[in-house]
Amino acid sequence: MGIPGMYKEIGPGDSISLSKLAVETFERTGRPLRLATDISIWQFQAQAAKGGSNPATRTLFYRLVRLQSHSIQPIFVFDGPNKPTIKRGRRTGGSRGGAVSTAIAKRLIHLFGFYTHDAPAEAEAECALLQRCGIVDAVLSEDVDTIMFGCTCTLRNWSAEKEKGSSSGPPTHVTVYDSAASTSDAPREARVRQHSLQTLNIPNLT
């Protein structure tokens, strides 16, 4: 996924506890940290889960539990009907045996009280748009495409803190790639935010 070698070019980013990031956002804004996530990446990663019945669904469940334990308000974005069928010379949207189906993923997400949103095309591009319009604070993604689509704050590598060469355990930290929006863009983002909420049919989270 993404452009090979891009993260190596832009640097390692800053490692921070996701809980700390959420607390700092709440102290600064008085509201939860808003994150947009391309759910297809989680569905793909869940295929590696093993053991017991429905391991992929169980993996998604526990990820949602961890998000709910923090002051975080996520929006899970699903690919839309106009997603490109071929990307970088490869066909996309192939069979994903063992992955969590879209219907089950949406039902589980809604049971947690989280939002879902169907993108008109590619979810990664939509996540970047939500962040640029100020609807979310950051995009949680392993795909560098969010940065290429203009996202100014990307969180990746949600995993255990690396201590003494070990990274086992539940995910606690993220790597932050944050490039402050230019001053000239700020007024535009403020103007389009409410229009974007209405167009995308997403509740006003303020």
Side-chain angles (χ1 to χ4, degrees):
M1 294 177 289
I3 302 174
M6 179 57 69
Y7 279 119
K8 182 178 180 180
E9 293 297 325
I10 63 179
D14 299 316
S15 178
I16 186 173
S17 163
L18 184 58
S19 176
K20 179 181 179 181
L21 191 61
V23 169
E24 289 178 347
T25 299
F26 186 83
E27 290 177 341
R28 186 177 68 254
T29 65
R31 58 165 175 76
L33 172 66
R34 300 170 183 158
L35 296 179
T37 299
D38 176 3
I39 189 63
S40 68
I41 296 177
W42 285 25
Q43 290 172 297
F44 176 79
Q45 293 173 336
Q47 294 180 91
K50 298 179 180 179
S53 59
N54 302 316
T57 303
R58 187 176 65 248
T59 297
L60 175 59
F61 172 82
Y62 280 113
R63 284 195 176 189
L64 296 174
V65 167
R66 293 186 182 104
L67 282 182
Q68 195 175 53
S69 67
H70 302 305
S71 178
I72 293 176
Q73 198 168 39
I75 296 177
F76 292 93
V77 183
F78 289 77
D79 287 322
N82 297 317
K83 178 184 178 180
T85 56
I86 296 178
K87 189 174 180 180
R88 300 188 185 95
R90 295 183 179 181
R91 185 169 296 278
T92 62
S95 176
R96 293 180 174 177
V100 182
S101 70
T102 294
I104 292 177
K106 284 186 175 181
R107 176 169 172 76
L108 194 56
I109 290 168
H110 291 158
L111 286 172
F112 273 85
F114 297 148
Y115 296 110
T116 61
H117 170 60
D118 293 326
E122 193 170 13
E124 285 296 330
E126 192 76 352
C127 286
L129 175 63
L130 293 176
Q131 193 274 332
R132 291 191 64 186
C133 290
I135 297 172
V136 298
D137 300 301
V139 175
L140 179 62
S141 174
E142 297 301 316
D143 198 333
V144 73
D145 282 355
T146 56
I147 296 176
M148 304 311 296
F149 285 128
C151 177
T152 61
C153 187
T154 298
L155 312 181
R156 72 182 297 259
N157 194 27
W158 186 27
S159 58
E161 183 179 14
K162 294 182 179 179
E163 295 181 351
K164 299 179 180 180
S166 174
S167 59
S168 61
T172 57
H173 284 61
V174 292
T175 302
V176 181
Y177 294 86
D178 188 2
S179 59
S182 65
T183 304
S184 60
D185 286 341
R188 174 184 175 277
E189 291 180 359
R191 289 195 302 271
V192 303
R193 181 179 186 279
Q194 186 59 40
H195 173 71
S196 300
L197 286 168
Q198 296 170 351
T199 302
L200 299 172
N201 195 28
I202 293 176
N204 193 330
L205 304 180
T206 55

